[in-house]
Amino acid sequence: GQQVMQIPQYQHVQEGEDFTTYCNSSTTLSNIQWYKQRPGGHPVFLIQLVKSGEVKKQKRLTFQFGEAKKNSSLHITATQTTDVGTYFCAGSRGNEKLTFGTGTRLTIIP
Amino acid sequence: NAGVTQTPKFQVLKTGQSMTLQCAQDMNHNSMYWYRQDPGMGLRLIYYSASEGTTDKGEVPNGYNVSRLNKREFSLRLESAAPSQTSVYFCASSDRYEQYFGPGTRLTVT
């Protein structure tokens, strides 16, 4: 079945540094979504990408979908303490249900 | 507008006991989902319901049953709990593509 891997599993950064998490699928995806889960909380939808090579920005967050639609990345510029949490990608093919990645847990060192 | 609600928030079961996790949404969404979240494994789909009256297996359905009671409610039942079912369970709903998650149920089976 479809597998979605994320790296790194953990990332510790100094406040103000940049952060990137990468998502790789074993198969070509129709779309990819990103979610954020704060410690002790539930996943919250951030964005969906559907086009090959698509780039979307939300303030300090930049999301990319690869040309082959098999990988994606989330980049956070100048991290803040509010960015703490686990970031998940989730992909689907056609009418199949979402497959979530393993997540990247971001810790900020003040 | 409460979104997605789940009960209970915490539960401890002994091996072999049964219980039902309740989920309700007030957003008039057609699709509902049950996931489990284990450390390092991301979110794995247990069962989903594309519409009232239909249910389908996800990635890890063994040991679980579900009921889509009406459009609002989707329950998850453990008939005979096992320690391997210790996890955090999330219910989610969606209309188009974005999934809205409940606060989760933390279940421990001893």
Side-chain angles (χ1 to χ4, degrees), chain B residues 43-68:
Chain B
L43 290 145
R44 292 183 293 168
L45 183 64
I46 304 171
Y47 271 94
Y48 65 97
S49 170
S51 61
E52 184 179 351
T54 68
T55 60
D56 285 289
K57 294 178 180 179
E59 183 186 351
V60 288
N62 291 344
Y64 305 96
N65 285 300
V66 290
S67 295
R68 182 75 183 265

Side-chain angles (χ1 to χ4, degrees), chain A residues 7-54:
Chain A
I7 54 171
Q9 190 173 1
Y10 301 96
Q11 185 78 57
H12 307 279
V13 301
Q14 290 280 146
E15 187 174 5
E17 290 183 341
D18 293 357
F19 159 77
T20 304
T21 174
Y22 300 91
C23 180
N24 294 290
S25 170
S26 57
T27 58
T28 301
L29 300 170
S30 301
N31 60 73
I32 196 150
Q33 298 180 15
W34 284 91
Y35 290 78
K36 176 184 177 181
Q37 183 177 22
R38 293 182 186 273
H42 58 275
V44 175
F45 175 83
L46 294 176
I47 208 161
Q48 175 170 275
L49 305 170
V50 296
K51 297 178 185 175
S52 170
E54 188 170 13

Side-chain angles (χ1 to χ4, degrees), chain B residues 61-100:
Chain B
N62 291 344
Y64 305 96
N65 285 300
V66 290
S67 295
R68 182 75 183 265
L69 304 169
N70 47 56
K71 192 170 187 180
R72 288 188 64 247
E73 298 171 290
F74 188 38
S75 62
L76 178 72
R77 182 159 178 84
L78 288 70
E79 290 291 352
S80 179
S84 61
Q85 294 178 305
T86 292
S87 188
V88 180
Y89 291 85
F90 287 102
C91 176
S93 71
S94 70
D95 193 15
R96 292 189 301 151
Y97 53 85
E98 174 180 351
Q99 293 194 13
Y100 295 81

